[in-house]
Amino acid sequence: MQLSKSMLKALNEQVTHEFYAAHLYLSMSAHFESSNLPGFARWMQLQSKEENGHAMKIYKYIHERNDRVTLDAIDKPPTEFKKPLDVMKQALEHEKKVSGLINNLYEMAVKEKDYPTQVMLQWFITEQVEEEKTASDIIELLKQVGDAPAGLIMLDRQLGARAGE
Ligand code: FEO
């Protein structure tokens, strides 16, 4: 079974959305680098890498279905950010938006009775729950820290310990 034209278009768009997320988080990482928060910077850089992985998962899937990806332009991400709490809130909002996009894709796959795409998307649905939870947890920690510099330094160390390269 071939991907429908509308499904191919929507999956292609999702590849671009995931690359945009990678761009956004890398921009946040650059902000943290220049804010003397290397742990936050590392965490965001790894997050950006994960988003690249998400884009490539869909990229590979489209080709597995014997179709082809058409890459599109990636929007310029914001480059100016506020406090860590605001940045993490912005990241959470973005994840919620992505969850909505994934849910829309799934709905489309259900309507079209495209079972392989449903199975592929299930991984993303689970991933989105995790991504939203992780961002929310960091927001909670940041709220507890408030304006205490010592707390922020500790949290920076904690985030910097995130596994990955
Ligand atoms: Fe690719 Fe963070 O969702």
Side-chain angles (χ1 to χ4, degrees):
M1 187 178 110
Q2 260 215 298
L3 286 168
S4 72
K5 266 196 173 153
S6 50
M7 183 56 77
L8 174 63
K9 184 171 179 283
L11 288 173
N12 244 309
E13 282 168 4
Q14 192 61 32
V15 170
T16 309
H17 290 312
E18 299 290 345
F19 277 134
Y20 174 77
H23 234 44
L24 173 65
Y25 294 148
L26 196 57
S27 188
M28 288 175 173
S29 179
H31 162 76
F32 285 132
E33 289 282 1
S34 67
S35 311
N36 274 329
L37 289 169
F40 277 87
R42 173 179 159 78
W43 192 92
M44 273 300 175
Q45 198 183 321
L46 290 171
Q47 196 60 28
S48 171
K49 220 173 159 187
E50 270 200 12
E51 298 300 347
N52 262 303
H54 294 172
M56 290 311 291
K57 232 182 211 308
I58 302 172
Y59 175 100
K60 282 183 191 143
Y61 175 74
I62 292 173
H63 291 134
E64 273 169 17
R65 294 291 302 270
N66 277 328
D67 237 308
R68 70 151 292 179
V69 168
T70 316
L71 290 178
D72 208 340
I74 302 163
D75 287 343
K76 182 181 190 301
T79 50
E80 299 300 323
F81 298 94
K82 293 184 189 151
K83 290 198 298 191
L85 178 60
D86 298 304
V87 180
M88 288 312 302
K89 279 184 179 170
Q90 215 171 326
L92 175 61
E93 278 321 298
H94 191 73
E95 285 307 323
K96 285 184 180 168
K97 196 181 139 192
V98 173
S99 299
L101 293 170
I102 296 287
N103 291 346
N104 289 344
L105 283 172
Y106 193 81
E107 236 175 80
M108 190 190 262
V110 168
K111 269 192 201 138
E112 292 190 5
K113 294 190 166 49
D114 181 343
Y115 299 111
T117 302
Q118 287 175 40
V119 172
M120 186 276 291
L121 289 171
Q122 274 161 12
W123 182 90
F124 280 88
I125 292 168
T126 309
E127 176 72 5
Q128 282 312 118
V129 172
E130 202 183 294
E131 300 254 278
E132 284 189 33
K133 163 101 173 82
T134 311
S136 299
D137 286 351
I138 298 172
I139 288 170
E140 281 317 305
L141 290 171
L142 279 165
K143 280 184 184 164
Q144 284 172 23
V145 164
D147 288 325
L152 192 59
I153 290 169
M154 265 177 67
L155 187 53
D156 188 61
R157 276 208 201 118
Q158 196 179 321
L159 292 184
R162 179 176 175 171
E165 284 171 35

